[in-house]
């Protein structure tokens, strides 16, 4: 369902060009569980933004569910993003003036779900990430790991068919991190696809396949035996 | 040099009160290397903000270098912070419109160092964290781990006598994380004090003492044998 063909991404900075991705190709099928790893600055978040249709490649093709994203209109791209993809950003990207509850409800507003149903589902998923007692806190009234969990709850509320999680446990102690991984496992067991960026080996161990990037290139792509 | 006596911190939220710290006491002497650990939301960052004089306790006393911080004026507090303390924030807190170089130079502006000397020292410390080739990038032109390393460089540039690092390696792969820990070890070997919040056991293993918080209370305070 995800077919990345010779993806390049460049950033022009004055006279310099940063080659964040230098030709990366891989396919990910429905219901795979893939970890993307690699050193800091190797291009993981850049790749995730392209997979999640939040950015376009400088060169190369990205085919999502059979559609070449270059040929989709902005409306169609937004539709795919809101219906199919759940995104946990490395920087959380929460609305600073909204409560945890309002932040988690946001994807359902795009799906046209009515407000009592939205609130009910947002409370459920906040309970799942252990933040029922922090529902009315704004992001700056939460700890770092609590903000991260609100970002995870927001990504899960729409039961996405593709979950893109960029370092979802970086700010969590191991017990809380494992609880988040159990939620991902539930989504995976229901037939959905999980793509996870992490630098923690024990988090990557949940995946069945590890793609390693280095300096904007694919260094290795390994199927891992089930534990 | 750090004497925290029955520190409480409360946040009033409408009718609710959040007890982030419920009476925490410990002493840290010159040149100790302490890790503060505990579950997400247990009060680690709140404690670090009080130790770093960025916040005041609701109750209890905080004595820094023999001074009760309650009795210091705002100017005196700012003086202590700028001269003695290096802070790596969990949220990095970089100036979004300034380059990596300008962000790292910032503490030296407060110290009245002239600009050619500031630039030279900022380049040196950016080289130490492996970002010499990203000096002119703004924070949104850097990867998550690169932003974290700029925050580390900014905290080290003033050779602080107390380094407060809140989850300094959360976004770094293990090799880059180890490089940062080597820089901390250098600062420690030069006689300075290191206080580090982390949830990663292999990072905490660099410390000689581990303070564990849970639900705003001190759960344990253990001296660790040297490896
Ligand atoms: N401004 C605030 N208003 C209300 N509650 C707050 C505020 N800041 C923090 N809290 C609450 O205080 C508690 C402690 O927060 P703190 O940031 O110290 O936790 P932490 O141990 O650093 O967690 P993490 O490991 O997730 O970063 C949390 O439950 C949080 O929700
Ligand atoms: N807007 C931008 N302008 C210029 N360079 C950029 C920009 N965004 C990213 N880069 C550069 O592209 C490279 C890849 O960045 P990316 O965020 O994908 O790395 P990453 O693998 O996610 O790293 P980390 O593990 O530190 O989060 C980095 O060297 C970074 O400096
Ligand atoms: Mg990244
Ligand atoms: Mg914290």
């Amino acid at each position: 369902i995800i077919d990345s063909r010779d993806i390049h991404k460049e950033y022009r900075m004055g006279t310099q060009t940063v080659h964040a991705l230098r030709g990366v190709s891989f396919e990910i099928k429905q219901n795979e569980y893939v970890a993307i790893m690699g050193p800091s600055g190797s291009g993981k978040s850049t790749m995730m933004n392209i997979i999640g249709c939040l950015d376009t490649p400088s060169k190369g093709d990205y085919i999502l569910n059979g559609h070449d994203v270059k040929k989709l209109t902005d409306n169609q791209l937004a539709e795919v993003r809101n219906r199919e993809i759940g995104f946990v950003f490395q920087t959380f990207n929460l609305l600073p003036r909204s409560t945890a509850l309002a932040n988690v409800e946001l994807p359902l507003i795009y799906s046209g779900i009515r407000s009592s149903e939205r609130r009910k589902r947002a409370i459920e998923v906040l309970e799942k990430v252990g933040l029922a007692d922090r529902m009315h806190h704004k992001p700056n009234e939460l700890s770092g790991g609590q903000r991260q969990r609100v970002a995870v709850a927001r990504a899960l509320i729409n039961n996405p068919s593709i979950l893109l999680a960029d370092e979802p446990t970086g700010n969590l102690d191991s017990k809380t991190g494992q609880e988040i991984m159990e939620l991902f496992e539930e989504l995976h067991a229901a037939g959905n696809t999980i793509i996870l960026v992490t630098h923690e080996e024990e988090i990557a161990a949940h995946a069945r396949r590890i793609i390693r990037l280095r300096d904007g290139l694919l260094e290795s792509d390994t199927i891992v035996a089930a534990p």
Side-chain angles (χ1 to χ4, degrees), chain A:
Chain A
I1 50 168
I2 283 176
D3 187 1
S4 128
R5 297 178 186 168
D6 195 32
I7 297 278
H8 287 68
K9 183 69 191 177
E10 283 155 22
Y11 296 106
R12 291 279 155 65
M13 308 238 341
T15 54
Q16 253 198 320
T17 302
V18 175
H19 297 279
L21 295 172
R22 299 159 187 262
V24 178
S25 303
F26 57 79
E27 269 183 56
I28 296 178
K29 297 206 171 39
Q30 178 88 32
N31 203 25
E32 280 202 64
Y33 195 146
V34 182
I36 298 181
M37 305 186 76
S40 172
S42 55
K44 305 179 296 294
S45 298
T46 302
M47 194 69 227
M48 289 290 262
N49 290 339
I50 289 171
I51 293 173
C53 298
L54 290 160
D55 195 5
T56 50
S58 311
K59 214 171 88 181
D61 299 311
Y62 175 48
I63 319 291
L64 175 62
N65 288 340
H67 300 292
D68 183 337
V69 295
K70 265 202 297 278
K71 294 183 185 127
L72 294 180
T73 65
D74 277 359
N75 270 352
Q76 285 171 318
L77 272 179
E79 183 89 7
V80 167
R81 271 202 310 262
N82 294 333
R83 293 213 178 261
E84 307 244 353
I85 298 175
F87 213 116
V88 184
F89 292 90
Q90 187 172 8
T91 47
F92 316 158
N93 284 12
L94 299 175
L95 300 180
R97 288 196 208 91
S98 297
T99 63
L101 196 63
N103 265 285
V104 172
E105 281 185 25
L106 201 62
L108 298 184
I109 296 176
Y110 296 128
S111 314
I113 309 270
R114 70 176 191 290
S115 99
S116 57
E117 173 65 16
R118 278 199 323 253
R119 172 145 295 222
K120 183 171 148 289
R121 283 169 60 176
I123 291 172
E124 264 168 37
V125 73
L126 276 169
E127 277 167 358
K128 277 191 167 181
V129 298
L131 289 177
D133 59 347
R134 292 284 182 273
M135 260 190 277
H136 304 297
H137 286 229
K138 298 207 177 78
N140 68 338
E141 297 167 338
L142 293 170
S143 79
Q146 290 170 341
R147 284 193 290 269
Q148 187 156 43
R149 284 182 274 161
V150 172
V152 168
R154 182 186 58 190
L156 291 177
I157 196 167
N158 229 348
N159 263 326
S161 57
I162 304 170
L163 177 70
L164 301 176
D166 196 343
E167 301 278 3
T169 61
N171 279 275
L172 300 176
D173 58 287
S174 25
K175 181 166 167 294
T176 312
Q178 285 305 324
E179 287 164 12
I180 297 303
M181 295 317 289
E182 275 160 32
L183 294 178
F184 290 3
E185 195 48 60
E186 239 175 71
L187 185 69
H188 180 237
N192 300 294
T193 307
I194 313 261
I195 305 173
L196 177 73
V197 167
T198 183
H199 64 271
E200 298 178 71
E201 297 290 341
E202 64 278 17
I203 299 298
H206 290 264
R208 291 284 160 279
R209 179 178 164 198
I210 297 182
I211 291 177
R212 285 186 194 272
L213 299 183
R214 181 175 291 275
D215 288 336
L217 289 167
L218 192 93
E219 187 182 47
S220 64
D221 186 350
T222 322
I223 305 281
V224 180

